[in-house]
Amino acid sequence: MATLNETDLKLFVDSIRTYLKVTTRQEPQITSAFLGTEDLEGFEFNGIVTFSGSHNGHVVVSMPARLVREILLLQHETDLRDSNLLDAVGEIANTLAGNARKSLGSELDISVPVKVQGLNGIKARVRKHPYVITLRWNHYEAMVCVDMDRRH
């Protein structure tokens, strides 16, 4: 299996930047992009989409509760229960996956988002060296973890 190239990875950086800018009218600051380790620490709310077909692996969006709540409030959502926060972070992961399909081709199959609450949500899902994008939006830290390979 071949690893993703810089252009492939940039689409995830651009996708999370665009998503937050469009939904909140405030662009996030990308604070770093690096190869992670199995000791990667995430946040309480995690949305995970699995890829198969032309690429195998997954993308994980990991955000603290306060960030997800603020995004929902900006969208005039009044239901701020944990179950709705999980749905929101799952939808963000699904949006990133859909954008990936547009760039990586229709042979990329994406799963329904899996939503995991808890700080270990990322640890259980990543391999040895995933690509990690950290960001700051409105003083809140968040992370997108891209853990996938090209099949051909």
Side-chain angles (χ1 to χ4, degrees), residues 99-120:
N99 290 341
R101 179 188 278 157
K102 290 176 191 171
S103 296
L104 300 176
S106 61
E107 293 176 2
L108 179 66
D109 296 321
I110 57 175
S111 73
V112 172
V114 173
K115 301 162 282 193
V116 178
Q117 187 172 358
L119 296 175
N120 291 326

Side-chain angles (χ1 to χ4, degrees), residues 12-30 61-63 67-68 70-72 74-75 88 92 95-96 99 133-138 140-144:
F12 288 97
V13 172
D14 292 343
S15 187
I16 190 65
R17 181 180 283 136
T18 300
Y19 178 87
L20 287 170
K21 185 176 179 182
V22 167
T23 58
T24 70
R25 294 182 184 42
Q26 182 178 345
E27 190 168 336
Q29 174 189 3
I30 303 301
V61 174
S62 186
M63 296 179 161
L67 187 155
V68 183
E70 194 157 331
I71 289 171
L72 288 175
L74 287 170
Q75 296 173 335
I92 294 168
T95 299
L96 298 186
N99 290 341
I133 303 158
T134 63
L135 59 107
R136 181 177 295 116
W137 177 85
N138 201 22
Y140 300 113
E141 302 289 327
M143 176 186 317
V144 175

